[in-house]
Amino acid sequence: MVKRQAENIIVVKDLVKKFGSFIANDHLSFEVKKGEIFGFLGANGAGKTTAIKILCGLSSPTSGKLTVGGFDIYTEREKIKKNIGYMSQKFSLYDDLTVFENIRFYAGIYGLRKKEIEERTKVLMEKLDMKEARDKLIRSIPLGWKQKLAFSVAIIHNPKIVFLDEPTGGVDPLTRRQFWDMIFEASREGITVFVTTHYMDEAEYCDRVSIMVDGKIAALDTPENLKQQYLAASMNDVFLKLARAKVN
């Protein structure tokens, strides 16, 4: 269920991002609540990753008003970076470092002290049942372990928000489900989860879903409401109807 009484932790009003004459984000407006699992969907090139980079403080908007975790995107980027976590499918962990070295590296970047890193590493290794893998190189462990570890590292500093950019790409269905169990747990603990995915069945797990088409938000609501609105049996059907409407 959507946390309807919770505060808005992300507020976006009329976000525009241009690259020359190309408009990547065309007047996006939405809000995300504390502890919500917010799905940010769209085909390749729809503008999702551009928007996420802006929300993470890695890129500047052309115009619009945005706050992330209560901080202004124009004047408080460093504060935003300290209060968020980030994980992507393409790059999250260093293959040539061990499991523990990756944890220590990222925890250090997030500002954790040596004692905190040791304590949280111990808890993490037990939770993921990876104690025997502590000193193994990342390249030598299964992809499913990598993804679960990368997510755990992204929230090791207890951020307000974690951004997940296609985090389950390439993993098997069972591992995907286990990964989502971790997302649900983080949400219950009050961490807001902002996630993109190409798997439309995963959209069903989100509290609310935004679907982008050509730089604009074409639809935004709960999965159930979107299926009712578009007379669709699944979120995949909703997505296809929106994509076809644009083509036509």
Side-chain angles (χ1 to χ4, degrees):
M1 296 295 292
V2 179
K3 289 73 175 173
R4 297 189 183 279
Q5 302 303 316
E7 64 181 287
N8 290 325
I9 198 162
I10 297 176
V11 178
V12 178
K13 295 182 179 179
D14 288 323
L15 165 62
V16 174
K17 178 63 176 180
K18 296 180 179 179
F19 296 97
S21 61
F22 175 70
I23 302 175
N25 296 145
D26 190 354
H27 295 279
L28 307 186
S29 294
F30 60 89
E31 298 170 343
V32 181
K33 297 185 181 299
K34 177 179 171 60
E36 184 174 15
I37 301 174
F38 188 83
F40 200 58
L41 311 182
N44 287 335
K48 306 186 303 299
T49 298
T50 298
I52 286 180
K53 286 182 178 178
I54 293 171
L55 292 171
C56 290
L58 300 175
S59 179
S60 299
T62 302
S63 61
K65 296 181 179 180
L66 300 88
T67 58
V68 178
F71 303 111
D72 183 84
I73 200 72
Y74 295 98
T75 61
E76 299 177 296
R77 281 198 207 172
E78 292 308 310
K79 291 181 179 178
I80 289 174
K81 292 175 184 177
K82 291 179 180 179
N83 283 276
I84 65 172
Y86 176 79
M87 174 190 169
S88 75
Q89 174 196 359
K90 296 177 182 177
F91 177 78
S92 292
L93 300 171
Y94 287 95
D95 278 347
D96 55 349
L97 295 180
T98 67
V99 167
F100 174 66
E101 287 170 341
N102 269 279
I103 295 172
R104 182 176 59 191
F105 175 74
Y106 282 105
I109 288 177
Y110 288 134
L112 298 185
R113 294 186 294 271
K114 184 177 180 180
K115 185 177 180 181
E116 290 178 309
I117 294 172
E118 287 288 350
E119 291 173 348
R120 296 190 190 188
T121 297
K122 183 178 179 181
V123 172
L124 186 57
M125 292 293 93
E126 291 177 354
K127 183 177 180 179
L128 297 179
D129 195 22
M130 290 179 62
K131 287 185 287 186
E132 301 301 321
R134 175 187 167 108
D135 297 318
K136 291 185 177 180
L137 292 176
I138 287 294
R139 69 164 66 97
S140 70
I141 67 175
L143 178 59
W145 278 16
K146 289 181 185 179
Q147 298 300 78
K148 288 185 281 189
L149 178 64
F151 176 71
S152 299
V153 169
I155 61 172
I156 198 168
H157 57 307
N158 297 322
K160 293 182 178 181
I161 307 158
V162 62
F163 291 91
L164 307 176
D165 196 0
E166 299 179 21
T168 57
V171 300
D172 62 87
L174 177 59
T175 302
R176 281 206 287 135
R177 181 64 218 197
Q178 292 171 343
F179 188 91
W180 272 89
D181 286 339
M182 297 174 69
I183 290 177
F184 295 144
E185 181 180 355
S187 174
R188 287 193 298 269
E189 293 175 353
I191 297 176
T192 301
V193 181
F194 193 102
V195 58
T196 74
T197 178
H198 281 307
Y199 298 110
M200 289 301 108
D201 62 312
E202 292 186 350
E204 306 274 358
Y205 303 150
C206 299
D207 292 314
R208 287 188 302 145
V209 173
S210 163
I211 300 177
M212 289 188 66
V213 178
D214 289 351
K216 297 181 179 181
I217 293 178
L220 198 169
D221 210 327
T222 66
E224 284 304 314
N225 287 347
L226 287 174
K227 286 186 286 186
Q228 291 178 17
Q229 180 182 345
Y230 289 93
L231 302 176
S234 67
M235 283 303 299
N236 188 60
D237 291 341
V238 172
F239 184 83
L240 290 175
K241 286 189 176 187
L242 286 168
R244 288 167 181 164
K246 182 63 182 178
V247 171
N248 294 333

